[in-house]
Amino acid sequence: MTDTQPAGTPKFIPALIAGLFLLRFGYLAFPDLFPEEAYYWNYANHLDIGYLDHPPIVAWLIAAGTRLFGDCEFGVRIGAFLCSLATAFYVFRLTDLLYGRRAAFTAVLLAQLLPFFFLTGFMITPDSPLTTCWAAMLYYLARVFFLGKSRAWLGVGISLGVGMLSKYTIALLGPATLLFLVLDPTSRVWFRRPAPYLAVALSALIFTPVLWWNIHHDWASFAFQGKDRVTARRHFSLHELLASALAILTPIGLYLGTKILWKGKPLPSSETRTSTPEATHRRQLLFVRVFTLVPLSVFLFFSLTHRVKLNWTGPLWLALIPMLAAALVFHSKTDRPALRLAWHTTGAILATTYFIFLQYLAHGLPGLGYSHNTELLPVGWRELGRALETQQQALEQSTGSKVMIVGMDRNFIASEAAFYHTHPAASVSQVTGAHLFGGRSLMYKFWRPASAEENATLLLASFEKVTIDDNSIEEHTDALGRIESQLLIRNNKAIRILYTRHATGYHSHLTRDR
């Protein structure tokens, strides 16, 4: 589309990109798993074609990584890192196609610096493959719309299908594509050609494993992500959505992005040094607007009555990154000093923060203790796993029976206890969740139904004492031990208190009903 000569690309940009990749790669093996990562590792140890709360790609990636590198943090996270490489490739190709090689390098740098994209390239969640598929679909759509490449519809179909195996959010690109076809006269010709319809059919074919799983599980996943979300307690979160945009794009990114989307001015031709027609610039702007604002509008509407989580909206900003990069490369001379200072300052702050954050998680910082909120900052899970394993073994010796560890939160304790067991793969059958007592533990209800634990001996674990001092526990068991507490410590620094209690003679139905 535009001049792709790399001349003029500052040499420090590729070096910064490489440095950010190396920073993540160098720390993959060290910090404890985030609770979500440990939960998805349990996915991989119950390998399937579908799950209650997410499609299966994240489990398949973790399974591949741990088969190659073992049940360790590096093996769990390597899939996220590889996804970030693939995302960078597609961001580069998309931006190169639209705005040229100079902007493409800057776009890749932005896709490494912005917080959501940095974290999804380090922490393995469904957002990691989703982000890659989102970037890939945008690239192939750009090839269709701006180069007229019919074969690119094959890439669109594959990206959408694999994306749907990652996270259902990518379906929002469907109505965005349809709207672009309607609004762009040049692209309407595709309504009369078979390629886009074949792409939809291909994506549906790739998605069939999840359909099959849902058919055999009473449509549980679709209900969880659809009806259950809609019928959840009403919560106004528009301000939270706007705050998430600020966090994802940074203040300067949000300012510049809003200016581009609102004012809609094409890039100044005197600065781009290209012969790109004005009409093409307008089509590029339409592409960015449609593929950013259509998904965003869905979340804006949803936020009026429901909570919208920060990570839900992360990938939608991929469509804006190429134009942000182009605006930075080709901005007017009057704006250049202020923009350069703002972005250089932002980049330096972000890169420094990432290094300090990863160093803190992996090895701690001199003179600082650790956060008690292990759900957000994963420090202390290794100690929790060892503590529960020690208590489990002691209880098994004293009772002469197998002991099941029960995490009394949603799924964090059970997931981390399994991973940080001496024998992780074997331990997945020795942990379960709070659904045994009427709580919510997502896939643990499928993996270890309450009925399967009849008469079992349990080791209850919680970070909240009140959780294991509830009358419902007594109603489901024959006998309860006293509540014990243990302070989790790392490097002679206190983390938080773990409360445990053993129970014998578990019954899935209340004892008063028997």
Side-chain angles (χ1 to χ4, degrees):
M1 288 303 304
T2 59
D3 180 16
T4 59
Q5 293 297 322
T9 300
K11 293 182 179 180
F12 69 86
I13 289 183
L16 286 176
I17 293 170
L20 288 166
F21 275 115
L22 289 174
L23 175 63
R24 279 186 305 210
F25 186 79
Y27 277 94
L28 286 179
F30 295 107
D32 291 356
L33 291 187
F34 286 84
E36 292 86 351
E37 294 179 295
Y39 176 58
Y40 299 133
W41 172 82
N42 278 267
Y43 267 27
N45 281 271
H46 297 89
L47 211 55
D48 207 338
I49 58 174
Y51 301 92
L52 171 67
D53 40 338
H54 287 294
I57 283 286
V58 66
W60 299 351
L61 286 174
I62 293 173
T66 53
R67 295 297 187 278
L68 290 172
F69 302 105
D71 289 308
C72 60
E73 290 86 352
F74 184 89
V76 172
R77 292 182 173 131
I78 187 62
F81 180 77
L82 295 177
C83 284
S84 73
L85 291 175
T87 300
F89 170 79
Y90 282 114
V91 168
F92 183 90
R93 294 295 299 273
L94 172 64
T95 311
D96 188 20
L97 188 158
L98 294 175
Y99 301 113
R101 189 65 54 87
R102 290 176 63 198
F105 279 105
T106 301
V108 174
L109 179 59
L110 289 177
Q112 300 310 305
L113 270 176
L114 296 178
F116 171 83
F117 302 103
F118 183 88
L119 289 175
T120 54
F122 177 82
M123 175 184 175
I124 184 70
T125 71
D127 292 309
S128 304
L130 169 71
T131 302
T132 299
C133 293
W134 199 294
M137 188 170 171
L138 290 176
Y139 167 66
Y140 290 118
L141 285 169
R143 286 184 62 82
V144 169
F145 297 143
F146 296 101
L147 300 181
K149 300 294 186 181
S150 180
R151 289 187 179 180
W153 282 110
L154 176 64
V156 172
I158 294 174
S159 302
L160 179 58
V162 177
M164 289 289 288
L165 290 180
S166 303
K167 200 171 182 180
Y168 303 142
T169 319
I170 201 172
L172 295 176
L173 290 182
T177 302
L178 181 61
L179 182 61
F180 186 88
L181 287 167
V182 170
L183 295 179
D184 182 41
T186 305
S187 301
R188 291 173 194 162
V189 64
W190 293 109
F191 282 121
R192 302 191 298 273
R193 296 181 181 178
Y197 305 102
L198 293 175
V200 172
L202 176 60
S203 65
L205 180 64
I206 295 172
F207 187 60
T208 50
V210 173
L211 290 173
W212 185 260
W213 187 90
N214 274 275
I215 288 171
H216 289 82
H217 292 84
D218 298 322
W219 305 100
S221 181
F222 293 157
F224 181 87
Q225 296 291 355
K227 179 176 68 67
D228 290 358
R229 298 282 189 197
V230 174
T231 58
R233 184 175 61 87
R234 295 176 70 86
H235 177 89
F236 179 80
S237 64
L238 179 59
H239 58 296
E240 296 173 4
L241 176 61
L242 297 177
S244 73
L246 187 67
I248 292 170
L249 293 176
T250 73
I252 181 61
L254 183 60
Y255 162 76
L256 190 56
T258 303
K259 184 178 179 181
I260 291 171
L261 293 172
W262 181 260
K263 291 188 175 181
K265 292 183 179 180
L267 301 176
S269 57
S270 61
E271 291 292 322
T272 58
R273 297 182 298 158
T274 73
S275 58
T276 306
E278 186 84 3
T280 301
H281 280 311
R282 287 196 294 269
R283 294 186 69 225
Q284 292 169 343
L285 178 61
L286 178 64
F287 183 87
V288 172
R289 277 177 164 173
V290 167
F291 286 97
T292 302
L293 295 179
V294 169
L296 178 60
S297 65
V298 173
F299 290 117
L300 283 171
F301 178 78
F302 194 73
S303 70
L304 298 178
T305 54
H306 295 82
R307 183 180 297 279
V308 174
K309 297 181 180 179
L310 182 147
N311 65 300
W312 293 0
T313 62
L316 72 84
W317 301 111
L318 282 165
L320 185 61
I321 284 178
M323 188 166 275
L324 279 177
L328 291 172
V329 171
F330 303 122
H331 48 254
S332 65
K333 292 182 179 179
T334 56
D335 292 338
R336 184 174 294 135
L339 277 174
R340 182 187 293 123
L341 177 62
W343 276 109
H344 286 186
T345 303
T346 299
I349 292 173
L350 289 174
T352 304
T353 300
Y354 297 149
F355 172 75
I356 294 174
F357 177 66
L358 293 176
Q359 176 65 22
Y360 170 77
L361 295 183
H363 307 295
L365 293 173
L368 293 181
Y370 293 108
S371 168
H372 292 181
N373 195 344
T374 53
E375 291 84 353
L376 295 178
L377 297 180
V379 175
W381 291 113
R382 188 185 308 274
E383 288 74 15
L384 173 138
R386 296 293 184 263
L388 289 178
E389 181 180 359
T390 299
Q391 291 190 39
Q392 180 188 40
Q393 292 174 346
L395 191 56
E396 286 180 343
Q397 290 180 355
S398 64
T399 62
S401 60
K402 286 289 183 182
V403 173
M404 180 70 63
I405 295 174
V406 183
M408 295 300 289
D409 58 358
R410 187 172 68 168
N411 54 55
F412 291 174
I413 291 176
S415 300
E416 298 277 11
F419 183 80
Y420 286 108
H421 193 277
T422 304
H423 305 288
S427 69
V428 294
S429 62
Q430 302 171 27
V431 299
T432 190
H435 65 278
L436 267 61
F437 301 98
R440 194 181 189 193
S441 50
L442 300 179
M443 279 303 302
Y444 284 98
K445 185 175 181 179
F446 292 81
W447 296 330
R448 306 292 304 185
S451 59
E453 308 304 332
E454 286 292 328
N455 298 311
T457 301
L458 310 176
L459 176 61
L460 312 181
S462 176
F463 291 129
E464 304 294 335
K465 185 176 181 180
V466 66
T467 309
I468 56 176
D469 193 22
D470 189 271
N471 290 335
S472 65
I473 296 176
E474 185 176 358
E475 293 172 344
H476 279 281
T477 57
D478 289 340
L480 281 172
R482 63 184 179 87
I483 297 175
E484 299 182 357
S485 63
Q486 179 175 346
L487 181 63
L488 301 179
I489 297 174
R490 174 176 291 188
N491 298 334
N492 297 318
K493 296 183 178 69
I495 302 172
R496 69 185 306 177
I497 296 175
L498 171 68
Y499 297 97
T500 57
R501 191 180 196 181
H502 74 265
T504 57
Y506 170 77
H507 303 285
S508 56
H509 298 288
L510 298 180
T511 55
R512 64 171 177 264
D513 294 334
R514 291 186 292 119

